[in-house]
């Protein structure tokens, strides 16, 4: 009987030759596992170390994380986050408008019942285009930030139903895209608008794009509604789409204006950029880059899958916020 690890010499027909055969030592418990079941140990001499901040691969990974988070977050925002945010905003605005109508405190012009300027974002009416399934509470103001809650009334124009032209703007695609189907209206379609003065009915006169002839000027006492949204491919607009509708119901009393378009912020006009949003975008982009740097550093200490469990929700949230 040989001890574990003893070399056994066996002779064949050729006495001059000998074969040395190693005898494997029995494993614990007396069970010898096959070689294909034994865990393989990596050769540490040939293993590549994880890249660090001094390695170009490390920074490529950071850039890849930032760009991926921006792309996936943008898609998530357009398809889900923005839609949910729009639905929540519309629910809150509807409750606000209903309360103001019941208390007869809904704004009727540029000033509220206390003779102060109506704050941006205040619910001022409900616009309905039944054929297109549009029913949206619109608010005072038309900057990019205000339009995230729903359509916005340009502050220098009269309220819908009053003498003059009232302008209401709405987004085409993002934040629920309340005016995304506006291009489908045809002359003769009916538009109803509910404000603090009652319900006004408009008949669509024309649908025009940039460069098309303007409608005829209004006669004294006549009212008109102009709806504006982006024209062209969603998220890649080629200009503004205008829907002109003539007031066919009675004209409500029109309060005297206290300011004109000359004092409006440039961001309140159609298709104008909102500089105020640039700082917000820079703020979230800064945190996105910081998060990508931190996750790349953590990956070298936690491991790949542990890091991704933390990275996915963080990067998606920051990408959507941006």
């Amino acid at each position: 009987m040989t001890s574990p690890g003893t070399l056994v010499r066996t002779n064949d027909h050729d006495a001059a030759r000998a074969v040395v055969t190693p005898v494997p030592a029995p494993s614990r418990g007396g069970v010898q596992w096959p070689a294909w079941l034994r865990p393989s140990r990596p050769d540490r001499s040939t293993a590549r170390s994880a890249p660090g901040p001094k390695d170009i691969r490390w920074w490529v990974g950071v850039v890849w994380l930032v760009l991926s988070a921006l792309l996936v977050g943008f898609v998530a925002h357009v398809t889900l986050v923005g839609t949910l945010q729009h639905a929540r905003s519309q629910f809150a605005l509807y409750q606000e408008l209903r309360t103001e109508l019941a208390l007869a405190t809904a704004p009727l012009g540029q000033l509220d019942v206390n003779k102060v300027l109506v704050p941006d974002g205040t619910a001022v009416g409900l616009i309905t285009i039944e054929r297109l399934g549009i029913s949206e509470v619109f608010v005072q103001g038309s900057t990019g930030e205000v339009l995230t809650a729903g359509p916005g009334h340009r502050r220098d124009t009269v309220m819908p139903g009053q003498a003059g032209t009232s302008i209401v703007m709405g987004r085409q695609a993002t934040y629920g895209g309340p005016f995304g189907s506006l291009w489908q209206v045809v002359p003769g379609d009916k538009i109803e608008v509910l404000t603090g003065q009652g319900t006004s009915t408009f008949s669509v006169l024309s649908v025009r794009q940039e460069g098309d002839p303007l409608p005829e000027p209004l006669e004294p006492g006549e009212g008109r509604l102009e709806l504006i949204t982006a024209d062209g491919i969603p998220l890649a607009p080629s200009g503004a789409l205008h829907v002109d509708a003539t007031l066919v119901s009675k004209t409500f009393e029109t309060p005297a204006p206290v300011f004109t378009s000359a004092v409006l912020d440039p961001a309140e006009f159609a298709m104008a950029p909102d500089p105020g949003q640039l700082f917000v975008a820079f703020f979230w982009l800064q945190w996105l880059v910081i998060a990508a740097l931190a996750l790349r550093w953590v990956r070298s200490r936690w491991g790949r899958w542990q890091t991704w469990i933390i990275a996915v929700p963080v990067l998606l949230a920051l990408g959507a916020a941006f």
Side-chain angles (χ1 to χ4, degrees), residues 176-251:
F179 281 179
S181 60
L182 201 60
W183 61 273
Q184 300 180 28
V185 300
V186 295
D189 280 348
K190 300 299 180 183
I191 302 175
E192 292 188 347
V193 181
L194 173 65
T195 65
Q197 293 175 302
T199 301
S200 300
T201 303
F202 298 84
S203 178
V204 174
L205 176 65
S206 63
V207 180
R208 54 187 173 88
Q209 299 173 318
E210 297 289 343
D212 290 345
L214 298 174
E216 294 293 331
L218 292 174
E219 296 292 336
E222 291 183 339
R224 180 177 291 161
L225 175 65
E226 182 179 348
L227 305 180
I228 303 177
T229 190
D231 187 27
I233 302 174
L235 304 179
S238 57
L241 181 72
H242 303 257
V243 174
D244 301 302
T246 302
L247 178 66
V248 295
S249 58
K250 69 175 183 178
T251 303

Side-chain angles (χ1 to χ4, degrees), residues 286-298:
Q286 173 182 269
W287 279 108
L288 180 60
V289 173
I290 293 174
L293 292 171
L295 290 171
R296 284 292 291 173
W297 180 82
V298 168

Side-chain angles (χ1 to χ4, degrees), residues 21-242:
T21 305
V23 178
S27 61
R28 292 184 179 180
V31 179
Q32 179 65 41
W33 295 101
W36 58 275
L37 283 179
R38 301 172 190 168
S40 60
R41 296 182 179 180
D43 186 356
R44 298 185 180 275
S45 62
T46 60
R48 298 176 61 184
S49 59
K54 296 183 179 180
D55 194 325
I56 187 63
R57 291 180 300 155
W58 195 87
W59 290 102
V60 170
V62 171
V63 174
W64 180 84
L65 282 176
V66 172
L67 295 179
S68 299
L70 287 176
L71 178 60
V72 177
F74 176 75
V75 173
H77 190 280
V78 172
T79 58
L80 179 62
V81 178
T83 302
L84 294 176
Q85 182 176 343
H86 172 260
R88 180 182 178 278
S89 298
Q90 283 292 302
F91 177 80
L93 290 171
Y94 183 80
Q95 301 303 320
E96 177 186 339
L97 179 63
R98 186 174 68 169
T99 301
E100 291 181 345
L101 292 175
L103 298 176
T105 58
L108 305 180
Q110 297 172 348
L111 304 180
D112 60 14
V113 293
N114 298 317
K115 303 302 180 183
V116 297
L117 290 177
V118 178
D120 284 357
T122 301
V124 293
L126 176 69
I127 183 170
T128 303
I129 307 178
E130 186 175 355
R131 192 178 71 83
L132 301 183
I134 295 177
S135 181
E136 294 281 331
V137 178
F138 62 96
V139 298
Q140 184 78 331
S142 54
T143 62
E145 181 180 2
V146 172
L147 295 183
T148 60
H153 170 252
R154 213 176 82 178
R155 298 184 302 128
D156 63 309
T157 65
V158 299
M159 288 291 180
Q162 298 175 358
T165 299
S166 179
I167 298 178
V168 177
M169 305 178 190
R171 292 181 179 269
Q172 178 197 34
T174 56
Y175 294 98
F179 281 179
S181 60
L182 201 60
W183 61 273
Q184 300 180 28
V185 300
V186 295
D189 280 348
K190 300 299 180 183
I191 302 175
E192 292 188 347
V193 181
L194 173 65
T195 65
Q197 293 175 302
T199 301
S200 300
T201 303
F202 298 84
S203 178
V204 174
L205 176 65
S206 63
V207 180
R208 54 187 173 88
Q209 299 173 318
E210 297 289 343
D212 290 345
L214 298 174
E216 294 293 331
L218 292 174
E219 296 292 336
E222 291 183 339
R224 180 177 291 161
L225 175 65
E226 182 179 348
L227 305 180
I228 303 177
T229 190
D231 187 27
I233 302 174
L235 304 179
S238 57
L241 181 72
H242 303 257

